[in-house]
């Protein structure tokens, strides 16, 4: 409570008639020397004393009133001008001043209103209501500063980081284009010099050959002309036997100097022609083209996804992996068991209960493993540009993939190997199909418009319709191609929600299963249409690494970093 300034007799005399206003509490005509700042009430001396001692208002600020505005306040006093006090007159009872506040109706009320209209409402003192509202606003401000502004700050930082990464990437692409340009210029200059040199050498040889033929024919023509002239002179002025002898001699000379006929003349030598090279490709196929991600369409309407299938995944078993031995890859063998690659560089054959049947020590972390039917052939890809095959109890080099790094692997129904290969320097990838002997059968790199389809393919699977589905980590999508290598569809998640696929597999029903970074497994039909989520974190999924379908048992093996979950579709 603000203490009122002490008033002596002299002060009282000087302000004997501060105001003739009526006291707002006792309604008396006594001198009104005081005002309550919190209640906005004018008080006489008696009511001021009672108001100061009341429990409800003893914390209020009571001020001494001065009539003369020009008089300076005494040093240390709390006196104010009566005209500066804001009074809230009741809108219903005009003779009353509102000293209370109704929180339900959010309005000032007087004592009469409290006893009648606002009888059952939440009534508090004006100062208390103001303090409550101030506290609520303070908490809201604190929430905005702590959470909303922090979110906005993080989004701004993410956008700034995105801008920096984008500018850096574009600058890198520009330098790469210039380097490729210089490289192609250098190669083109070398090819030009080589062709010019080859053409000049060929020209010299052919011209020498033509000149020799021409010189020989000219000599022969001269000899024929001379023989004809000699014979004519020898035959002139002769007759009888001497003429016969001269004609025989002329025939022998002409016979020896026979000129070639037009049909049997010297073979014509044609100049060199341009023919298609060994790699008759457009420059875009060699140089590359820029490919842009389509801009997602923003919409305010939220669409719901229809689930045409009512398939549920029921967890039937799970087993944990010991600490510091995370699971990096998984592949079912087709006989109810599975193979897993662990962080300790071990490939294990495990049962549905987690029992280890066999262990194979490898010299590199088995990030990707694949096996044929019944586990007959087992393959492993490494970052060392090679694919290894299990032989005599150990993995040995089987396919050299340089200069590409080998990543995802799978084996299709025909026993062929599908491998994801990635070129680190040029930042693009391809899918290569090998036979069981390691011979390359097909390379899938660009689409019908000769645009690169893959940027960083990390996982691959083969469907029963012989389609190839690939997880592209850089493009954050699933790309499906047919057996002919042509793109069939691209899947980028549901309703433009952030989507980062991590693993993929296909089942005997023709469905495609995709595990994402939110630990959900999407089920797609063969055309890439989203059907439903068949597994979520509610099934125990946490940090999905890989998944593999057991075609014979109709089960799904999902490997998380620290455990394996086996489920069946019902």
């Amino acid at each position: 409570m603000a203490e009122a300034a002490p008033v002596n007799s002299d002060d009282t005399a000087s302000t004997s008639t501060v105001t003739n206003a009526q006291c707002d509490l006792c309604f008396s005509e006594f001198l009104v020397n005081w005002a309550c700042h919190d209640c906005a009430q004018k008080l006489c001396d008696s009511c001021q004393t009672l108001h100061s001692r009341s429990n409800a208002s003893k914390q209020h600020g009571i001020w001494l009133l001065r009539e003369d505005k020009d008089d300076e306040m005494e040093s240390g006093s709390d006196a104010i001008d009566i005209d500066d006090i804001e009074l809230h007159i009741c809108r219903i009872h005009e003779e009353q001043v509102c000293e209370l506040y109704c929180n339900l109706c959010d309005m000032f009320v007087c004592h009469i209103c409290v006893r009648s209209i606002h009888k059952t409402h939440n009534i508090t003192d004006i100062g208390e209501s103001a303090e409550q509202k101030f506290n609520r606003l303070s908490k809201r401000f604190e929430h905005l500063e702590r959470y909303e502004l922090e979110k906005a700050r993080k989004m701004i930082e993410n956008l700034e980081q995105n801008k920096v990464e984008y500018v850096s990437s574009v600058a890198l692409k520009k330098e790469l284009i210039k380097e490729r340009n210089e490289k192609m210029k250098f190669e083109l200059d070398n090819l030009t010099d080589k062709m010019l040199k080859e053409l000049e050498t060929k020209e010299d040889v052919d011209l020498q050959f033509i000149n020799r033929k021409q010189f020989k024919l000219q000599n022969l023509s001269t000899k024929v002309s001379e023989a004809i002239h000699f014979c004519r002179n020898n035959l002139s002025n002769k007759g009888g036997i001497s003429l016969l002898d001269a004609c025989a001699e002329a025939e022998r000379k002409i016979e020896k100097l026979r000129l070639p006929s037009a049909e049997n003349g010297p073979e014509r030598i044609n100049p060199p022609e341009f023919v298609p090279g060994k790699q008759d490709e457009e420059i875009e196929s060699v140089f590359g083209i820029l490919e842009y991600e389509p801009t997602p369409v923003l919409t305010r309407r939220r669409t719901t996804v229809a689930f045409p299938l009512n398939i549920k995944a029921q967890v039937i078993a799970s087993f944990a992996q010991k600490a510091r031995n995370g699971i990096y890859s998984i592949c079912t063998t087709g006989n109810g068991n599975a193979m897993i690659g662990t962080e300790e560089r071990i490939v294990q054959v495990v049962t549905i209960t987690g029992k280890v049947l066999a262990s194979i020590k490898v010299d590199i972390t088995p990030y990707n493993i694949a096996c044929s039917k019944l586990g007959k052939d087992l393959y492993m890809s490494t970052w060392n540009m090679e694919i290894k095959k299990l032989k005599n109890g150990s993995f040995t080099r089987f396919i050299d993939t340089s200069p590409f790094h080998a990543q995802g692997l799978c084996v299709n129904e025909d026993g062929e190997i599908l491998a994801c290969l990635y070129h680190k320097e040029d930042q693009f990838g391809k899918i290569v199909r090998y036979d069981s002997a390691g011979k390359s059968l097909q390379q899938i790199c660009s689409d019908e418009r000769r645009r690169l389809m893959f940027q960083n393919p990390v996982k691959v699977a083969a469907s029963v319709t012989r389609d190839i589905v690939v997880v592209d980590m850089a493009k954050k999508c699933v790309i499906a191609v047919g057996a002919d290598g042509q793109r069939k569809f691209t899947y980028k998640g549901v309703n433009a929600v952030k989507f980062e696929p991590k693993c993929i597999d296909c089942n005997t029903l023709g469905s495609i299963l995709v595990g994402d970074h939110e630990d959900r497994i999407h089920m797609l039909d063969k055309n890439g249409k989203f059907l439903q989520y068949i597994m979520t974190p509610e099934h125990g999924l946490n940090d999905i690494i890989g998944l593999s379908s057991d075609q014979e048992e109709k089960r799904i093996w999902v490997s998380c970093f620290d455990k394996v979950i086996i489920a069946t579709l019902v």
Side-chain angles (χ1 to χ4, degrees):
M1 178 183 71
E3 297 293 340
V7 183
N8 54 30
S9 60
D10 296 336
D11 294 335
T12 307
S14 63
T15 58
S16 58
T17 57
V18 174
T19 177
N20 294 325
Q22 191 180 52
C23 179
D24 290 330
L25 289 184
C26 63
F27 306 109
S28 65
E29 297 294 337
F30 295 115
L31 292 178
V32 178
N33 296 325
W34 310 90
C36 178
H37 181 270
D38 294 274
C39 300
Q41 292 178 329
K42 294 172 291 184
L43 308 172
C44 64
D45 293 339
S46 299
C47 293
Q48 180 267 337
T49 303
L50 294 175
H51 200 72
S52 301
R53 295 177 180 178
S54 174
N55 291 332
S57 59
K58 64 182 180 179
Q59 298 297 330
H60 292 189
I62 299 178
W63 306 80
L64 176 64
L65 301 179
R66 297 285 187 183
E67 184 179 24
D68 189 1
K69 293 183 182 180
D70 296 331
D71 290 342
E72 295 183 356
M73 293 184 178
E74 297 181 4
S75 175
S77 76
D78 295 328
I80 62 172
D81 195 329
I82 188 173
D83 294 333
D84 294 335
I85 300 297
E86 182 182 0
L87 300 178
H88 297 282
I89 306 300
C90 182
R91 289 180 290 182
I92 300 175
H93 310 94
E94 296 181 355
E95 72 282 359
Q96 298 293 324
V97 175
C98 298
E99 64 271 8
L100 299 172
Y101 191 81
C102 178
N103 294 291
L104 180 62
C105 301
D106 193 17
M107 62 182 295
F108 297 100
V109 293
C110 67
H111 289 284
I112 300 176
C113 293
V114 171
R115 294 192 297 268
S116 58
I117 302 174
H118 304 270
K119 185 176 183 180
T120 59
H121 295 182
N122 182 14
I123 306 298
T124 58
D125 185 74
I126 291 178
E128 183 180 352
S129 298
E131 186 176 357
Q132 290 177 357
K133 283 195 173 185
F134 175 76
N135 292 335
R136 285 197 298 268
L137 281 175
S138 298
K139 290 181 179 179
R140 187 173 180 184
F141 294 154
E142 183 179 358
H143 174 78
L144 288 173
E145 291 178 348
R146 181 176 297 180
Y147 298 102
E148 302 301 329
L149 291 179
E150 182 65 20
K151 289 180 181 178
R153 184 187 64 80
K154 289 182 178 179
M155 286 189 288
I156 293 172
E157 290 179 355
N158 291 335
L159 289 174
E160 181 64 24
Q161 183 180 2
N162 184 20
K163 181 172 67 174
V164 172
E165 292 176 353
Y166 186 92
V167 172
S168 176
S169 178
V170 170
L172 183 63
K173 295 296 188 301
K174 290 179 180 178
E175 293 299 324
L176 184 60
I177 291 173
K178 293 178 181 178
E179 289 178 3
R180 291 186 178 183
N181 182 36
E182 295 298 328
K183 183 178 179 180
M184 292 192 70
K185 283 182 178 180
F186 178 76
E187 293 179 354
L188 183 59
D189 290 341
N190 289 340
L191 178 61
T192 302
D193 295 340
K194 180 180 177 181
M195 292 181 69
L196 289 174
K197 186 175 180 180
E198 180 183 352
L199 188 60
E200 291 173 357
T201 303
K202 180 66 174 174
E203 181 185 16
D204 293 340
V205 173
D206 290 343
L207 288 179
Q208 290 178 10
F209 179 78
I210 294 174
N211 290 333
R212 287 197 300 270
K213 290 288 186 181
Q214 185 180 14
F215 180 76
K216 185 177 180 180
L217 189 58
Q218 286 179 348
N219 289 338
L220 182 59
S221 299
T222 302
K223 290 181 180 180
V224 171
S225 298
E226 292 176 353
I228 293 173
H229 181 70
F230 173 79
C231 292
R232 283 180 177 174
N233 291 334
N234 194 29
L235 293 176
S236 61
N237 302 321
K238 289 187 178 179
I241 296 174
S242 58
L243 182 59
L244 290 174
D245 293 337
C247 288
E249 184 180 0
E251 288 178 356
R252 286 194 299 268
K253 283 185 174 291
I254 295 300
E255 190 68 25
K256 290 180 179 180
L257 301 174
R258 182 180 297 177
L259 291 171
S261 62
E263 293 80 6
N264 299 326
E267 183 180 356
R268 179 180 177 83
I269 299 179
N270 296 318
E273 297 289 343
F274 285 103
V275 296
K278 295 181 179 179
Q279 296 179 346
D280 185 20
E281 298 176 340
E282 295 181 5
I283 190 171
E284 289 179 352
S285 301
V286 180
F287 193 83
I289 61 173
L290 292 174
E291 187 177 35
Y292 304 94
E293 291 290 338
T295 304
V297 179
L298 300 179
T299 176
R300 292 180 178 270
R301 298 184 58 185
R302 297 177 62 89
T303 58
T304 57
V305 180
F307 301 101
L309 301 177
N310 188 20
I311 297 178
K312 297 180 180 179
Q314 180 178 350
V315 177
I316 59 175
S318 65
F319 57 89
Q321 195 72 1
K322 68 179 182 179
R324 296 185 180 179
N325 190 25
I327 302 171
Y328 282 118
S329 55
I330 188 168
C331 176
T332 56
T333 59
N335 54 5
N337 301 326
M339 294 184 178
I340 60 174
T342 68
E343 190 177 11
E344 291 183 345
R345 297 185 177 182
I346 297 176
V347 176
Q348 298 176 341
V349 181
V350 296
T351 65
I352 193 173
T353 60
K355 180 181 178 181
V356 179
L357 301 179
S359 296
I360 306 169
K361 187 69 177 178
V362 295
D363 59 353
I364 195 169
T365 304
Y367 288 108
N368 297 281
I369 57 175
C371 65
S372 58
K373 291 182 178 179
L374 302 179
K376 181 180 178 181
D377 296 316
L378 181 62
Y379 306 93
M380 179 179 67
S381 65
T382 71
W383 190 247
N384 296 336
M385 303 181 186
E386 62 179 1
I387 297 175
K388 293 188 175 184
K389 181 179 180 180
L390 182 63
K391 186 176 181 181
N392 298 328
S394 62
F395 282 91
T396 58
R397 188 168 188 171
F398 179 56
I399 300 174
D400 182 9
T401 62
S402 61
F404 289 82
H405 298 279
Q407 299 192 123
L409 287 178
C410 78
V411 180
N412 62 15
E413 293 291 325
D414 299 329
E416 298 171 339
I417 308 165
L418 300 176
C420 298
L421 303 185
Y422 172 65
H423 197 285
K424 184 178 180 180
E425 294 180 359
D426 290 340
Q427 298 182 354
F428 78 98
K430 62 181 178 179
I431 306 299
V432 181
R433 184 165 59 92
Y434 300 95
D435 62 11
S436 57
K439 180 182 178 181
S440 175
L441 303 176
Q442 182 184 19
Q443 297 194 22
I444 304 173
C445 180
S446 56
D447 57 14
E448 63 275 5
R449 298 177 62 184
R450 297 196 175 186
R451 297 181 303 180
L452 294 176
M453 281 193 292
F454 309 106
Q455 189 170 347
N456 187 8
V458 294
K459 298 292 181 181
V460 62
S463 68
V464 293
T465 57
R466 299 187 182 279
D467 292 337
I468 302 172
V469 286
V470 181
V471 170
D472 195 308
M473 184 175 66
K475 293 187 175 183
K476 297 181 181 181
C477 65
V478 174
I479 301 173
V481 296
D484 57 352
Q486 299 301 316
R487 188 197 301 261
K488 294 193 68 175
F489 67 82
T490 300
Y491 177 71
K492 296 189 176 182
V494 183
N495 294 340
V497 178
K498 183 180 179 181
F499 175 63
E500 295 180 11
K502 299 179 67 176
C503 51
I504 196 165
D505 199 15
C506 302
N507 59 20
T508 54
L509 302 176
S511 302
I512 302 170
L513 307 178
V514 184
D516 68 5
H517 71 296
E518 295 289 345
D519 297 321
R520 300 170 300 188
I521 297 182
H522 305 229
M523 175 178 278
L524 316 178
D525 65 10
K526 63 180 181 180
N527 298 318
K529 179 182 178 181
F530 175 79
L531 299 179
Q532 65 181 96
Y533 297 118
I534 59 171
M535 294 186 74
T536 62
E538 296 179 356
H539 295 83
L541 302 184
N542 182 24
D543 193 8
I544 292 179
I545 299 295
L547 62 89
S548 182
S549 299
D550 191 335
Q551 309 294 358
E552 300 296 329
E553 301 293 337
K554 293 181 174 59
R555 296 170 181 165
I556 303 174
W557 293 60
V558 184
S559 65
C560 301
F561 183 76
D562 58 349
K563 61 185 174 182
V564 175
I565 299 175
I566 302 99
T568 182
L569 299 180
V570 295

